[in-house]
Amino acid sequence: MQRNRAQESRAAIERLYITMRHLFTRGTYKPMGVSGESLVNALRILSPEIYGTVNDPEKVELDGLLYVMERLPKGIEQCRYVRLISREGYETSHLEAIVPPKRRRNCYRLDEHVMYVEMTRGRSDIYDILTHLTFLYIESNKIYNNSTDPKGNISINWRMLEEIVEKEQAGKKFDKEAASAYLSHLIGRTYEETVRAVDKFEKSSNSNSLYSIVYNLGKLAMEEIRDDKDREISFSATLRERIGHHVYGERWAKKIKQKLDDLKLLERPIHIISANLHSVLNTIYAPQVQNLKSFEDIEKVASSIAVGEKGNPAKKIHDYASKHGFVDIPDDSGTNIGAQIIDTAKLEKDFLIPGVNLPSEKENRPVFLVMDYAFGEQAYECMDELLKPYKKDKKEIPLNIISVSIMGKAGILYGGKGDLMIPDAHVFEGTADNYPFHNELKKSDFEGFGLGVYAGSMVTVLGTSLQNKDILKYFMESSWNAIGLEMEGAHYQKAIQSASKIRKSIRSNVKVLYAYYASDNPLETGSTLASGALGMEGVRPTYLITYKILEKLMK
């Protein structure tokens, strides 16, 4: 029987992960050698939406390249050797940490050839970066092929680009139009496409210029093919030893529980919310500071803060919050997950949000523990450690956890950016694992606010950068009835169910609330994650979910 594209794609994803695990265990490999060939072939078969024209022999994928460069350390395209490490003490060295804004992790440039990248978020983080690097190496070989003729002679376009990059590095002026014309031949794109891409890369805070990136990617490919100077990816022994042992999640959870203990909040009703670190703060404290009467009032305040309006109340809200029960817990564990505690007993007004009153007895007022977004498998590690009892003086003190709420970003399979998804189950991609649950939030809670709302199962994927239309259509059109895809839901649910149903470290009837807003629609051309952030479109869905979570928890 002939296999369809969805089956081939699922097999390619499985092969990618098996290969990555093998290479990780081995400790080192050459990405364009025999070892890396399996990754390259699997990625080509899969041809994920986010990597666009990865299978075109000449065209370099520009949106995908920018997406990747904003998540990798600046200058990585210049490095022949990339070493993935654990947190191993480099933060105390003289080396300056390079932190990509779109995927916060410490990276260290040892010299012109070597880049160290810290991996503290678990296997999902490692798979993510290896996929991105494989994409980069595929594109670099295209650049090399475009820079030579059939006899292997270097083209004039390459030599001119080399001169332009030298001028750029020396701070000298050069003709950008001529430079873009030379560049367009090397990336297999029209002049118009090239100029537009050059502008996008110039606006990126993390990326070098497109001229520099293309030149350095091509140069390393050229040196490998012509001079046998192989590129190499390696994994430190400490990273291989620590992975899967919850080293960072345990540190992270311990610090939070110690802070709850210091504040004498362990016995109070605790509500955990996984969300961004501004929406819960602003939704609770803006009505305390200003005379806000409705969700729409809160949304206006949030919008003024988001666009940085002159005189916006962000600082005023934060200062007030710090004096009325808000405690920030910055991360120093390596998880890159910040946390906050909000003690509602210290609010001046007797409501949580407009129209939702707090219990009159202060000892019964809720404590909100807000944690930033986790990344893939890291969600299980952190939630699993957080739900364990607090160990103090050889005693185990269980936390009084009433609810766990998850607000997440997800790719939607119906509708578009900014629309909402309310799941009733998480299906883990590549396995038969599925996690049905009772969601306290309902589709009807979000209707009437001008956003599309969809209910059904969500697919927890191994990596959002590995999805293509064939797989997504299969999940959407088959009996799985999927409405979207994300990376953390099944991992969170696995931790919640084991803590409440098996280990009994939290109450068995813990409330669970899940809602996602669409960051992209991977089935729509031009609407994948590589098309850019939500921006102001994200304010309403983010704050509406936050508002509805708080409203539901007090009912």
Side-chain angles (χ1 to χ4, degrees):
M1 191 176 90
Q2 193 173 9
R3 294 196 304 172
N4 61 36
R5 274 287 295 149
Q7 288 170 321
E8 287 177 352
S9 299
R10 293 204 301 281
I13 288 179
E14 192 175 350
R15 196 157 60 251
L16 270 166
Y17 280 96
I18 291 169
T19 305
M20 285 193 269
R21 289 187 88 132
H22 165 69
L23 296 173
F24 175 71
T25 305
R26 200 173 89 174
T28 180
Y29 76 100
K30 293 178 172 60
M32 299 313 287
V34 175
S35 308
E37 191 178 5
S38 180
L39 284 184
V40 169
N41 290 341
L43 198 65
R44 285 190 186 281
I45 290 167
L46 189 59
S47 187
E49 299 305 309
I50 208 162
Y51 297 141
T53 58
V54 69
N55 271 338
D56 191 294
E58 291 183 28
K59 284 184 181 178
V60 170
E61 167 55 36
L62 297 173
D63 284 341
L65 184 61
L66 180 59
Y67 177 86
V68 165
M69 297 313 293
E70 288 185 331
R71 284 154 180 81
L72 294 175
K74 189 173 184 178
I76 197 167
E77 72 278 2
Q78 300 163 0
C79 298
R80 181 172 290 112
Y81 305 105
V82 177
R83 187 164 178 80
L84 306 189
I85 62 171
S86 182
R87 179 160 286 188
E88 299 177 22
Y90 289 100
E91 67 275 12
T92 63
S93 72
H94 70 281
L95 295 168
E96 187 180 344
I98 305 166
V99 184
K102 296 288 179 73
R103 190 76 82 233
R104 299 191 65 80
R105 48 165 82 98
N106 289 342
C107 309
Y108 302 95
R109 180 87 179 257
L110 264 66
D111 54 39
E112 62 178 312
H113 300 297
V114 183
M115 181 73 79
Y116 280 10
V117 184
E118 229 177 48
M119 299 275 103
T120 57
R121 291 180 158 193
R123 284 196 181 90
S124 295
D125 210 14
I126 295 170
Y127 299 154
D128 188 58
I129 200 168
L130 289 182
T131 310
H132 289 337
L133 288 171
T134 303
F135 162 73
L136 277 190
Y137 296 131
I138 292 171
E139 299 305 289
S140 72
N141 279 21
K142 285 185 199 174
I143 295 163
Y144 168 71
N145 291 334
N146 290 343
S147 67
T148 56
D149 65 19
K151 293 180 180 178
N153 299 315
I154 304 296
S155 73
I156 185 66
N157 294 309
W158 177 261
R159 300 200 184 281
M160 296 309 295
L161 179 65
E162 192 169 35
E163 284 183 24
I164 287 156
V165 171
E166 283 172 5
K167 285 181 181 178
E168 187 181 51
Q169 287 173 343
K172 295 178 182 176
K173 288 187 176 179
F174 60 90
D175 185 338
K176 282 192 176 182
E177 290 191 348
S180 295
Y182 297 127
L183 183 64
S184 68
H185 292 284
L186 297 171
I187 61 176
R189 294 287 186 168
T190 65
Y191 173 74
E192 187 180 26
E193 286 172 326
T194 305
V195 169
R196 202 159 48 235
V198 165
D199 185 51
K200 280 185 184 177
F201 276 80
E202 276 181 3
K203 288 174 181 172
S204 169
S205 59
N206 185 62
S207 171
N208 287 320
S209 75
L210 185 58
Y211 308 117
S212 175
I213 288 168
V214 168
Y215 172 71
N216 282 291
L217 284 175
K219 180 168 173 274
L220 289 182
M222 193 175 287
E223 288 173 350
E224 182 167 45
I225 293 164
R226 288 173 167 250
D227 307 326
D228 292 328
K229 292 182 178 178
D230 292 331
R231 290 168 282 186
E232 186 178 279
I233 294 172
S234 60
F235 312 89
S236 77
T238 308
L239 176 64
R240 285 181 287 143
E241 179 190 313
R242 286 180 178 175
I243 205 73
H245 290 291
H246 290 203
V247 172
Y248 302 103
E250 187 178 5
R251 287 180 196 163
W252 173 82
K254 186 178 178 183
K255 183 178 179 181
I256 291 170
K257 291 172 196 174
Q258 280 179 337
K259 181 59 77 173
L260 287 167
D261 186 30
D262 293 344
L263 297 169
K264 296 183 170 49
L265 298 175
L266 284 174
E267 293 181 5
R268 289 268 298 283
I270 296 170
H271 298 271
I272 297 170
I273 302 177
S274 173
N276 55 54
L277 293 182
H278 60 79
S279 64
V280 182
L281 169 70
N282 290 332
T283 301
I284 290 175
Y285 284 102
Q288 298 280 322
V289 175
Q290 299 179 308
N291 189 28
L292 307 182
K293 301 291 186 188
S294 65
F295 162 71
E296 285 74 18
D297 290 345
I298 295 170
E299 184 187 14
K300 282 178 190 171
V301 170
S303 297
S304 73
I305 293 170
V307 297
E309 270 182 20
K310 195 174 180 181
N312 79 72
K315 187 176 184 306
K316 190 176 177 184
I317 290 169
H318 193 277
D319 291 347
Y320 178 89
S322 299
K323 294 171 187 171
H324 295 86
F326 173 79
V327 179
D328 190 36
I329 310 175
D331 175 63
D332 55 16
S333 68
T335 61
N336 281 310
I337 300 177
Q340 301 164 340
I341 293 169
I342 297 173
D343 179 4
T344 62
K346 295 189 176 176
L347 295 178
E348 283 189 315
K349 295 175 182 174
D350 61 0
F351 61 81
L352 179 65
I353 51 175
V356 177
N357 291 329
L358 289 162
S360 52
E361 307 84 4
K362 295 212 168 182
E363 63 271 18
N364 292 332
R365 290 192 175 183
V367 172
F368 291 101
L369 172 53
V370 186
M371 57 181 280
D372 206 348
Y373 297 123
F375 186 75
E377 286 185 27
Q378 185 192 37
Y380 173 72
E381 176 178 334
C382 291
M383 188 61 75
D384 184 55
E385 293 297 331
L386 189 59
L387 299 181
K388 287 178 182 176
Y390 174 53
K391 292 179 181 176
K392 181 183 180 184
D393 302 330
K394 296 183 179 178
K395 289 182 182 177
E396 289 194 344
I397 306 166
L399 276 63
N400 184 18
I401 293 168
I402 310 298
S403 73
V404 182
S405 302
I406 311 294
M407 173 172 76
K409 289 183 286 190
I412 197 166
L413 301 180
Y414 301 86
K417 284 188 176 187
D419 286 346
L420 305 180
M421 291 154 277
I422 314 301
D424 53 26
H426 286 102
V427 180
F428 194 24
E429 178 188 50
T431 72
D433 299 354
N434 52 84
Y435 299 87
F437 59 92
H438 173 73
N439 192 347
E440 297 288 331
L441 293 171
K442 299 287 175 279
K443 181 181 176 183
S444 56
D445 294 328
F446 298 92
E447 288 170 342
F449 289 90
L451 299 171
V453 191
Y454 303 89
S457 61
M458 299 280 288
V459 183
T460 298
V461 296
L462 292 159
T464 51
S465 57
L466 289 178
Q467 306 311 304
N468 68 20
K469 287 182 180 177
D470 302 295
I471 294 175
L472 299 177
K473 280 181 180 171
Y474 164 75
F475 277 118
M476 184 171 101
E477 294 170 1
S478 71
S479 55
W480 286 115
N481 185 32
I483 53 170
L485 63 144
E486 47 75 52
M487 284 185 66
E488 292 79 34
H491 301 299
Y492 275 132
Q493 198 56 30
K494 184 166 64 171
I496 295 164
Q497 287 185 10
S498 63
S500 61
K501 309 294 184 193
I502 302 169
R503 290 174 170 171
K504 312 290 186 186
S505 56
I506 62 172
R507 59 181 64 200
S508 61
N509 62 344
V510 63
K511 290 182 178 180
V512 179
L513 297 83
Y514 276 93
Y516 296 91
Y517 59 93
S519 55
D520 64 299
N521 184 333
L523 289 174
E524 284 183 11
T525 303
S527 293
T528 66
L529 284 169
S531 66
L534 262 175
M536 286 304 293
E537 285 177 281
V539 173
R540 170 160 279 211
T542 303
Y543 277 81
L544 181 60
I545 292 172
T546 305
Y547 189 89
K548 289 295 179 180
I549 286 173
L550 295 173
E551 184 179 66
K552 189 70 76 170
L553 291 176
M554 290 296 102
K555 283 187 176 177

